[in-house]
Amino acid sequence: MKSKTAKHSYIEWLSPEEMHEASLNWFSELKFIRDEQLFLNNLVTLYTLQLTDTAIFEESKKVISRLQKAEKDIVPLFKKVQAHENQLEIMVDDINQLKMEKAYQETHKELIISMNQYTVQYREIKEGLFKLITSIMKKNKQKRLLN
């Protein structure tokens, strides 16, 4: 006989200051990721010839397409965070707008999930690209040592 485990969700009540701080942290993280993506694009450009090698071509194609998708996905995420930050006034205007405040909190929870998902996926992409570039660098080093 199987027992059912109840799923409980713990909802922390965040103050407007904490939500503002979270939004600022998200902005900072997204700006850093955007700058990092420029670096990764330069890395791909630098190793384009090696990435097209038949032994790793399919894997490099997947990683690069995921990187390009991540670059496109960051724009709407930036916009969501910006809109969320702009609507923070709802929480601090001393007017009881319970429905709007509740909607703002729900949006904040959704953004927490979205940001976590995006950063986890982005780290996986980076890891895959770094593994490819590392293997290329090792092969190049071996070739130089043999010559």
Side-chain angles (χ1 to χ4, degrees), residues 50 53 136-147:
Q50 295 91 338
D53 185 280
I136 289 169
M137 293 172 93
K138 285 180 181 178
K139 284 180 187 177
N140 288 343
K141 187 175 181 180
Q142 288 172 351
K143 286 179 184 177
R144 280 188 299 221
L145 290 176
L146 292 175
N147 291 337

Side-chain angles (χ1 to χ4, degrees), residues 13-16 19 87-95 97 100-102 104-105:
W13 183 264
L14 297 174
S15 70
M19 287 189 274
Q87 294 171 351
L88 181 64
E89 184 180 342
I90 291 169
M91 299 300 289
V92 294
D93 62 2
D94 291 333
I95 299 171
Q97 302 169 340
M100 292 179 78
E101 289 175 7
K102 179 76 172 163
Y104 185 85
Q105 290 169 340

Side-chain angles (χ1 to χ4, degrees), residues 22-104:
S23 296
L24 293 179
N25 288 337
W26 293 334
F27 267 126
S28 177
E29 191 170 347
L30 290 173
K31 286 178 185 177
F32 180 80
I33 288 172
R34 194 175 55 200
D35 290 341
E36 199 173 43
Q37 287 171 344
L38 294 173
F39 167 76
L40 295 177
N41 284 335
N42 287 337
L43 196 60
V44 167
T45 302
L46 185 63
Y47 287 97
T48 298
L49 186 59
Q50 295 91 338
L51 287 169
T52 57
D53 185 280
T54 55
I56 60 169
F57 179 70
E58 286 302 317
E59 187 178 351
S60 62
K61 189 170 134 179
K62 288 177 188 174
V63 170
I64 292 168
S65 67
R66 288 182 67 202
L67 179 62
Q68 289 171 338
K69 184 180 180 319
E71 289 176 24
K72 290 177 185 173
D73 291 346
I74 200 170
V75 174
L77 197 51
F78 251 120
K79 289 179 181 179
K80 285 180 186 178
V81 171
Q82 179 67 51
H84 183 67
E85 178 67 17
N86 291 343
Q87 294 171 351
L88 181 64
E89 184 180 342
I90 291 169
M91 299 300 289
V92 294
D93 62 2
D94 291 333
I95 299 171
N96 285 335
Q97 302 169 340
L98 297 178
K99 286 184 182 179
M100 292 179 78
E101 289 175 7
K102 179 76 172 163
Y104 185 85

Side-chain angles (χ1 to χ4, degrees), residues 26 111-121 123:
W26 293 334
L111 277 172
I112 290 171
I113 293 167
S114 297
M115 283 297 299
N116 286 338
Q117 287 174 343
Y118 184 82
T119 54
V120 166
Q121 289 171 353
R123 286 181 189 136

